[in-house]
Amino acid sequence: MTDAPSRPNQPVYLDNQATTRCDPRVVQAMLPYFSEDYGNPHSAEHVMGQRAEAAVEKARAQVAAAIGAEVREVVFTSGATEANNIAIRGAARFAANMGDPRRRIIAVVTEHKCVLESVADLAAEGFEPVFLPVRPDGLLDPDTLREALTTPTLLVSVMAVNNETGVIQDIAGLAAIAKAAGALFHSDLAQAVGKIAIDLTAWKVDLASISGHKLYGPKGVGALFVRRRPRVRLLPLFSGGGQERGLRSGTLPTPLIVGLGEACRLATAELTADAERIAMLRCGLWDRLRRDIPGIRLNGSETARIAGNLNVTFPRATASELMHAVPDLCVSTGSACSSAEVEPSYVLRALGLSGQQAARTLRIGIGRFTSAADIDYAAAALAAAYAACEAANPDNPTRDT
Ligand SMILES: *Cc1c(COP(=O)(O)O)cnc(C)c1O
């Protein structure tokens, strides 16, 4: 990327854990497949279909290379939500259909909602969902997992990188524990690809999910890794033409898949350079926030975290006050709006934060397109907004939620 421009982008986008800009190189790679190369990748009997199929298979190889998988282990989906659903429900249902007596499905309380809900929903089919707590630094204690596995378990699901805190779990270590107990191991890699090196062949992971729009690719596409040796069997979620080896029926969206492939290629090629540059920006921002806002605190492990994430709790002002004061800065609050109710983030609560602390928390996500000027702007604007909030609330009258 080029050096810092003198002026920040407008608005300044520091919400790269919510989604990322589609890299212009990815857009370029996709364009022909919207227009001239529009064939159906499943129409192998003519040249237009063959061209689309070749593009899909090239992308499959690029995705496989980025995660250390074999080409045939990659199944395209509409995103990580769908991949997580197929992995968890599909594995549980297949095992039950085969007469497997095990019912326990283990996940961690800080997983993405689509994992938590997939696991929880399986209770209605007679499975036993178990949600493990995390330590205050956001990491799953291996002994907590070992203990949960003393009851025979079908599947364990642990995300590699948390979408709110950026905390990195030891997937290789946790997967080995699950495998030793005979359980399948699934990992949601949506926030990990392009941020940390991933080697699914070396890690004893059976199933893994990725998402295009978290790694500078397009929205609406993702992939599921399904190990072949030993072969992991799943029941598909829906019926149809039997594409993707019967696991995911439906015509593949060639342009989106080409974009996902190119995004994966770039993620691998630029992982080290991106991480170094982003870590420098993060350190600069964190130094300034700490200097200007005494008492500000970082949530989640200081060391086991991706370069681009700062999840910080302010000693006084609420996140929504701060965001209101700096409307051209895109960050995210420590809350989630579900059915119009604002609730403190369950991830932050799991790390031990109170409702009030969660309400004073911002997630700042630095990415490939963040400039040094963006960071300057964010640091100055947040410090000024904080000072103004403090001045407006000298007695610290905050609601405890
Ligand atoms: C974004 C995200 C998802 C959902 O991915 P989609 O492709 O948007 O469905 C799942 N898990 C994590 C950790 C995410 O960050």
Side-chain angles (χ1 to χ4, degrees):
M1 293 299 104
T2 52
D3 266 328
S6 53
R7 288 178 339 123
N9 295 303
Q10 280 298 333
V12 168
Y13 186 78
L14 294 181
D15 200 11
N16 282 280
Q17 269 89 62
T19 195
T20 56
R21 173 181 170 184
C22 197
D23 192 298
R25 296 167 289 183
V26 170
V27 175
Q28 279 307 313
M30 291 166 63
L31 286 177
Y33 297 95
F34 285 110
S35 45
E36 56 266 31
D37 287 327
Y38 53 79
N40 185 325
H42 314 293
S43 301
E45 60 276 13
H46 58 63
V47 64
M48 290 296 282
Q50 288 155 9
R51 261 189 231 163
E53 186 191 22
V56 165
E57 293 315 313
K58 178 182 167 197
R60 199 186 304 277
Q62 289 170 319
V63 173
I67 57 177
E70 289 174 23
V71 177
R72 287 195 306 168
E73 292 174 322
V74 174
V75 172
F76 290 114
T77 68
S78 63
T81 298
E82 187 189 348
N84 286 335
N85 272 268
I86 298 176
I88 292 165
R89 295 175 199 266
R93 288 172 183 164
F94 185 89
N97 279 7
M98 297 302 286
D100 195 316
R102 295 173 296 174
R103 287 291 173 268
R104 181 168 281 210
I105 314 274
I106 297 176
V108 182
V109 286
T110 48
E111 293 298 311
H112 193 272
K113 277 280 180 198
C114 62
V115 166
L116 295 178
E117 298 294 318
S118 292
V119 172
D121 285 354
L122 285 170
E125 296 172 37
F127 295 94
E128 180 208 1
V130 173
F131 299 103
L132 302 182
V134 291
R135 305 188 311 213
D137 64 2
L139 289 162
L140 171 61
D141 190 324
D143 285 334
T144 305
L145 178 59
R146 278 193 197 92
E147 197 183 313
L149 286 165
T150 53
T151 298
T153 298
L154 269 178
L155 175 80
V156 177
S157 182
V158 185
M159 72 203 318
V161 173
N162 184 269
N163 46 301
E164 290 193 37
T165 61
V167 166
I168 305 169
Q169 304 284 353
D170 172 20
I171 293 303
L174 296 168
I177 293 169
K179 298 311 293 174
L184 290 171
F185 191 90
H186 165 255
S187 186
D188 178 350
L189 303 180
Q191 298 282 347
V193 181
K195 315 293 193 308
I196 60 171
I198 291 162
D199 186 352
L200 293 179
T201 303
W203 302 357
K204 292 185 177 347
V205 169
D206 298 296
L207 296 156
S209 309
I210 77 174
S211 170
H213 73 100
K214 305 293 173 68
L215 65 133
Y216 311 99
K219 293 171 179 60
V221 68
L224 173 64
F225 160 84
V226 185
R227 181 175 291 285
R228 287 186 69 85
R229 281 177 297 171
R231 181 146 182 223
V232 175
R233 306 290 305 271
L234 305 171
L235 223 58
L237 290 188
F238 40 84
S239 317
Q243 288 91 345
E244 297 298 272
R245 286 180 286 110
L247 278 178
R248 206 284 190 169
S249 284
T251 305
L252 289 174
T254 313
L256 300 182
I257 286 171
V258 167
L260 176 63
E262 177 68 359
C264 280
R265 186 185 72 76
L266 293 168
T268 309
E270 299 183 358
L271 186 134
T272 310
D274 268 356
E276 279 173 11
R277 203 184 60 83
I278 291 168
M280 277 190 26
L281 294 175
R282 199 246 335 244
C283 285
L285 178 58
W286 181 225
D287 285 347
R288 284 182 61 178
L289 291 176
R290 264 188 306 191
R291 183 193 71 195
D292 295 341
I293 305 172
I296 194 170
R297 125 180 183 186
L298 180 68
N299 298 309
S301 168
E302 266 184 58
T303 48
R305 63 187 307 126
I306 56 164
N309 178 284
L310 277 178
N311 187 298
V312 290
T313 301
F314 291 80
R316 297 204 204 185
T318 66
S320 50
E321 283 174 320
L322 291 169
M323 285 181 67
H324 193 72
V326 195
D328 54 356
L329 176 65
C330 302
V331 290
S332 122
T333 66
S335 322
C337 304
S338 49
S339 54
E341 296 246 346
V342 181
E343 287 186 357
S345 145
Y346 64 90
V347 172
L348 297 174
R349 296 302 299 269
L351 269 60
L353 272 71
S354 67
Q356 187 187 63
Q357 287 170 321
R360 295 174 181 171
T361 299
L362 284 182
R363 176 184 70 181
I364 303 172
I366 301 164
R368 184 182 287 167
F369 299 107
T370 308
S371 69
D374 292 344
I375 296 296
D376 278 345
Y377 175 81
L382 283 173
Y386 185 75
C389 289
E390 252 197 335
N393 308 326
D395 303 326
N396 190 16
T398 39
R399 345 172 273 299
D400 205 23
T401 44

